[in-house]
Amino acid sequence: ALEVELATLRATPVERLRTTATGAQQGVAALRADPERGLDRLVEVIAAYWEVALAPYWPRIRTLLEGDILHRATHFAEGGTRRLFHDLDPRLRWDAGTLQLTRRRTPGTRRLDGRGLLLTPSVFVWPRIFSNLCGSEQQPVLRYPPRGIGTLWQQRPQPCSDALAGVLGRTRALLLAELTTPASTTDLAHRIGLTAGGVSQHLSALRAAGLVSAHRAGRVVLYARTSVAEALVGAS
């Protein structure tokens, strides 16, 4: 959560306030001179920027990120680590217990030493992959573009099969068509022009029929097509 990140920033020890960037030397020196006041001001600026630049779009971004996490978790459960990384990015390859990342700026081998590797989808890194594997005290992290990032700002409705609509009804067939990637009730309601309550009722019916599954991600519930629904949509 943003509040946690800002609290961590505000509590940064003064000895960690440093930079190697020439243009930032003066600003960091001011922070070190009065870290409490400087960090409070920095937190205020970041929070204000968040409200203007990111908060209005965060629900859409978060839905895309949570959908990717659900997709990766399903692949991991079905086929282990090799399946997890199979379609994550062409530059990544899992081979005999080693994750190989080609065209990395800093070549070499990094051992995780039991710390694990945190996979973090981000809409701000495309088309690159960023890794933070340095330092024995830090959690090794791999940041990558999520699936469907090219459609993040598109509002094109998904085609709805007339044949499937004849069996399920147009609204439920349309909902299944929209669930090419997992989505929340609010997101689906915005896409097809129904109330959230109406969408919820249709999703409940589809879930009872075994056509959609629900997955909680923090405060959000994401709905996804089941394998039966995938077969239905594909056949129609």
Side-chain angles (χ1 to χ4, degrees):
L2 178 66
E3 294 78 11
V4 175
E5 297 287 348
L6 294 181
T8 302
L9 174 59
R10 186 180 275 113
T12 303
V14 63
E15 61 269 15
R16 298 192 65 183
L17 298 174
R18 58 184 184 271
T19 181
T20 57
T22 304
Q25 295 286 355
Q26 185 176 355
V28 172
L31 281 178
R32 292 180 65 91
D34 190 351
E36 184 175 352
R37 181 180 178 184
L39 290 175
D40 282 346
R41 175 57 180 156
L42 185 57
V43 165
E44 291 175 2
V45 171
I46 293 176
Y49 177 81
W50 162 269
E51 291 298 330
V52 173
L54 292 175
Y57 314 108
W58 182 242
R60 179 186 295 191
I61 294 172
R62 178 166 181 165
T63 297
L64 182 70
L65 301 181
E66 296 287 5
D68 184 87
I69 292 172
L70 176 60
H71 173 78
R72 300 290 160 208
T74 301
H75 274 201
F76 185 56
E78 292 175 346
T81 309
R82 184 180 298 276
R83 179 76 186 277
L84 169 66
F85 289 108
H86 175 68
D87 64 344
L88 194 146
D89 190 276
R91 290 161 289 187
L92 287 173
R93 185 166 63 92
W94 179 261
D95 183 30
T98 300
L99 182 63
Q100 299 182 7
L101 173 59
T102 59
R103 297 195 295 275
R104 193 171 184 269
R105 287 190 173 185
T106 307
T109 302
R110 303 288 187 274
R111 296 187 61 85
L112 298 181
D113 296 325
R115 291 174 293 162
L117 180 64
L118 181 63
L119 302 181
T120 306
S122 172
V123 299
F124 304 112
V125 300
W126 186 90
R128 296 177 58 193
I129 289 181
F130 286 86
S131 60
N132 185 1
L133 307 176
C134 300
S136 59
E137 298 179 358
Q138 295 180 336
Q139 168 68 58
V141 177
L142 188 74
R143 293 183 175 88
Y144 65 93
R147 297 170 64 248
I149 189 172
T151 65
L152 180 59
W153 306 112
Q154 292 181 358
Q155 292 292 342
R156 294 185 302 176
Q158 295 294 326
C160 176
S161 164
D162 290 334
L164 196 57
V167 177
L168 299 177
R170 178 154 296 277
T171 300
R172 292 174 186 176
L174 182 58
L175 284 172
L176 286 184
E178 289 289 339
L179 287 174
T180 51
T181 57
S184 66
T185 301
T186 303
D187 189 27
L188 291 169
H190 177 71
R191 290 192 214 171
I192 68 175
L194 285 181
T195 65
V199 169
S200 181
Q201 290 181 0
H202 287 295
L203 289 174
S204 295
L206 291 171
R207 187 180 180 186
L211 297 178
V212 301
S213 55
H215 308 267
R216 177 166 292 281
R219 299 178 181 178
V220 180
V221 176
L222 296 178
Y223 292 89
R225 292 195 301 229
T226 63
S227 57
V228 175
E230 292 286 356
L232 278 176
V233 173
S236 62

